[in-house]
Amino acid sequence: MREDSLVKAEPVLDGELVDELPQPRRRAGRRWWLLRRVPAWDRYQTRQVVKDAAVGVLRSPGRLVGAAVRGVVAAVRWWRRWVSVRDYREAAEQAEKLADKFVEIRALTLFRWKVTGLVAVAAVVLAAVAHLLFGSVVVWGGGVVVLVGLAVLGRRKDGSPGRKAVLAGPRTLKWTMDPQVLVDAFRDAKLIGKDETLRLVERATRIGDGWAVTVDLPATRKAADVIKNRDALASALAVDEVQLIVERVRGNGGHAGRVSMWVADQDPYVGPPLRTPLLDLARWDAWRPVPFGRDARDRRVDLPLVWTSLLVGAIPRQGKTFAARLAAAGLILDPFTRLYVADFKAGKDWDAAAQVAHRFMSGDESVHVRALIDWLVELVGEVQGRYRRMRELDDVTCPESKVTPEMSRDRALNMPVTAIFVDEVQVPLEDRTQVAVEGQKVAAGEYVGELLTWLAKKGPAAGIVLALATQRPDSKTIPSGLRAVIGSRFALRVMDWRDSNIVLGEQMNTRGYDSSRLLASHKGVGILRPDGDVADGLALTVRTYYMPNEDWQVICRRGRELREAEGTLTGHAAGDDVPLLERVAEAAPVELPEPLAAVVEYLGEDGRRFVPSAELVEALGVEATAFGRQMGELGCRPTRDRVPGEDGRTKQVRGYLAADIRRAVERLGDSRGQGERS
């Protein structure tokens, strides 16, 4: 082999294969330097910097003069305290030796006055000599130095109380989420110790109209404590608590000590309300969560309804009915759903739903409570029947004992998603009218509570959705057993934390969720605790979409058109619902005597709450005096009420309430039943 063909080999090294290089250990100071490298620069910050710089230049002369004046005041105050030997005098008073030290105090006071005079004369002489030697430039330069010194002495610091309360400036949040401001705020709120700091996970960035930052708390500190003391942290940051959103980071990227924060530039709930996006949709799928509102960061919040139940609570005029109608709107736009609507407010808020509802009523009398009981008994039987039928289905059609989307749309199975909405549910729950249940007398309200609780427990898996709304969320009105089995809660503004806990759940106020602290000006804003995971696993503040009556009517008309096209219009909307008094007559165990039987037959297809006596006399062809006497003997006493006349004006007439007729029928049935048993 030739020597020139040989190639020199590289040196051979011994070693082992490793997965990754060891990372150098960082010092605490280095970590804090990284924490200060926020926030990321963007156009918003550039514009803000230019704006702040321009404003600062224009306002600097006035600020300099103001600071110099405050500096003069501070200097004079210090000089007076010094020349009057205030510190020495106070020490003597505390030691109770002021009389013994009087001579020394007087001598020291005279000495300091002399020093003051000598300093003043020396300053004047020095200024005169400098003027003779160097001209007025030195004098002006010295004046500028003195002015700057006084301005520094009288400056106002952000967050400082100032020299005196009258000179204190307000605390303000800097336009950037400065890390030191954040750490100081956590310390001031006593969320971390004086020697503890925060670890930055994500740099502060602009998201929407606010700043977002994610930090890790020190060991043993919990994100739940930060959420609980959100008001203290907001105070330390000098913002209103509605501007501060604190959430625990969950999932693979989170842990119990990781906190995500978002600070809004201004109140996020003061803008104009947003219309519901359902207005722009031709139809909706009930199995999808319904668009419910927006959170403070303007993110859409959806509310799941299938396989759960809903409770909405608030004081009057806070948007309770609007929130309940938002939930109903998504179901209305699905033509395969079945709706029961009971409006115990007896107003017109739900009237448009009569176009699509399988069962509908509006009123607050005992007769309406009895009708609700009939509905609930009907639904209990429906749930039991569905479970029996699901048990007979194969595993492909029904893999579990739950209604599936395919099953709910199969007309042969007859298991559509069925929702019952009860507005002002406190009315039937507080009704003390006695009703017969399995041969025993119980209060109607108690029986309603038992039926609602049973449906909330067993109904969701069978496709029954229970939605209740009340303006009296207290423990006496809503039974604890019913509240315990309701999956989703929405609390608008209430009077105190107890009412908030009634809606949201026990101890929710201690976790930082108290709807009594919502502002009265925030209409439609409430705390939502959905049946599912949210950012921090508990609840979030939501501003519901705005759906006035005209939009509500549009959605109901669209829902009726969809049902007519699919052939799913049933019950009340299709004209097949049995009127209230007709149901009473059918359920009566005995034949009714005259003229009560004729009155029930006449009013069987009428949903009025009051009928004039003159109308009944004319329609039945009876003599007025005898008719009134016979009705009185049967337990129906006439009363006075106002009805519209032919000229459009209301007038007061005598007549009978439908509720009184209903009670008379019930009494007759009960008395005949007792007679037969005896």
Side-chain angles (χ1 to χ4, degrees), residues 58-78:
L58 294 176
R59 297 181 60 183
S60 58
R63 290 179 175 178
L64 178 63
V65 173
V69 171
R70 291 192 298 271
V72 170
V73 173
V76 169
R77 287 175 176 170
W78 175 84

Side-chain angles (χ1 to χ4, degrees), residues 211-450:
W211 286 96
V213 63
T214 303
V215 298
D216 275 349
L217 300 174
T220 72
R221 300 286 182 174
K222 299 178 181 179
D225 295 331
V226 180
I227 297 173
K228 176 182 177 181
N229 296 281
R230 181 171 61 95
D231 53 346
L233 181 58
S235 175
L237 289 171
V239 297
D240 192 276
E241 59 189 80
V242 299
Q243 296 176 241
L244 176 62
I245 305 300
V246 182
E247 299 171 345
R248 175 187 167 185
V249 181
R250 302 184 67 90
N252 293 332
H255 55 80
R258 181 161 292 181
V259 177
S260 173
M261 298 173 52
W262 185 79
V263 183
D265 299 332
Q266 58 184 359
D267 189 342
Y269 306 117
V270 297
L274 298 177
R275 295 291 181 96
T276 173
L278 292 176
L279 286 172
D280 302 326
L281 301 177
R283 62 191 299 161
W284 188 257
D285 185 356
W287 290 84
R288 295 174 56 191
V290 178
F292 193 64
R294 317 286 293 190
D295 66 1
R297 298 171 63 171
D298 200 32
R299 298 174 298 185
R300 196 174 95 172
V301 177
D302 296 334
L303 177 65
L305 290 176
V306 180
W307 290 347
T308 186
S309 49
L310 173 67
L311 174 63
V312 180
I315 59 177
R317 294 176 299 279
Q318 291 298 317
K320 166 181 53 64
T321 301
F322 275 53
R325 292 196 313 193
L326 280 170
L331 302 179
I332 289 174
L333 291 181
D334 187 338
F336 295 98
T337 60
R338 186 178 294 168
L339 296 177
Y340 288 64
V341 178
D343 178 18
F344 283 95
K345 185 186 294 185
K348 57 188 298 185
D349 294 332
W350 290 90
D351 284 355
Q355 306 175 60
V356 295
H358 179 71
R359 295 280 185 264
F360 179 85
M361 68 174 174
S362 177
D364 56 359
E365 303 288 346
S366 295
V367 63
H368 299 97
V369 177
R370 287 296 302 267
L372 176 63
I373 292 176
D374 295 342
W375 290 6
L376 298 178
V377 172
E378 176 184 334
L379 287 174
V380 168
E382 175 71 16
V383 171
Q384 293 172 336
R386 290 189 182 189
Y387 279 120
R388 286 194 298 268
R389 282 177 284 164
M390 284 189 289
R391 193 165 52 243
E392 299 172 355
L393 296 175
D394 58 79
D395 293 340
V396 177
T397 304
C398 183
E400 302 178 19
S401 294
K402 294 181 180 179
V403 173
T404 64
E406 292 75 16
M407 293 171 58
S408 67
R409 294 182 175 89
D410 190 340
R411 299 184 187 180
L413 295 177
N414 191 25
M415 296 186 189
V417 172
T418 303
I420 175 169
F421 287 84
V422 184
D423 198 2
E424 304 297 352
V425 70
Q426 76 275 359
V427 174
L429 288 173
E430 294 177 344
D431 193 285
R432 302 274 73 89
T433 304
Q434 297 294 310
V435 295
V437 180
E438 297 180 354
Q440 297 182 353
K441 288 290 186 177
V442 298
E446 181 181 348
Y447 191 37
V448 169
E450 293 177 358

Side-chain angles (χ1 to χ4, degrees), residues 8-14:
K8 185 177 180 180
E10 297 293 335
V12 179
L13 303 177
D14 294 331

Side-chain angles (χ1 to χ4, degrees), residues 224 227-229 497 501 506-514:
I227 297 173
K228 176 182 177 181
N229 296 281
W497 60 269
N501 284 348
E506 296 297 332
Q507 304 299 321
M508 285 296 288
N509 67 309
T510 62
R511 302 179 184 180
Y513 302 101
D514 184 359

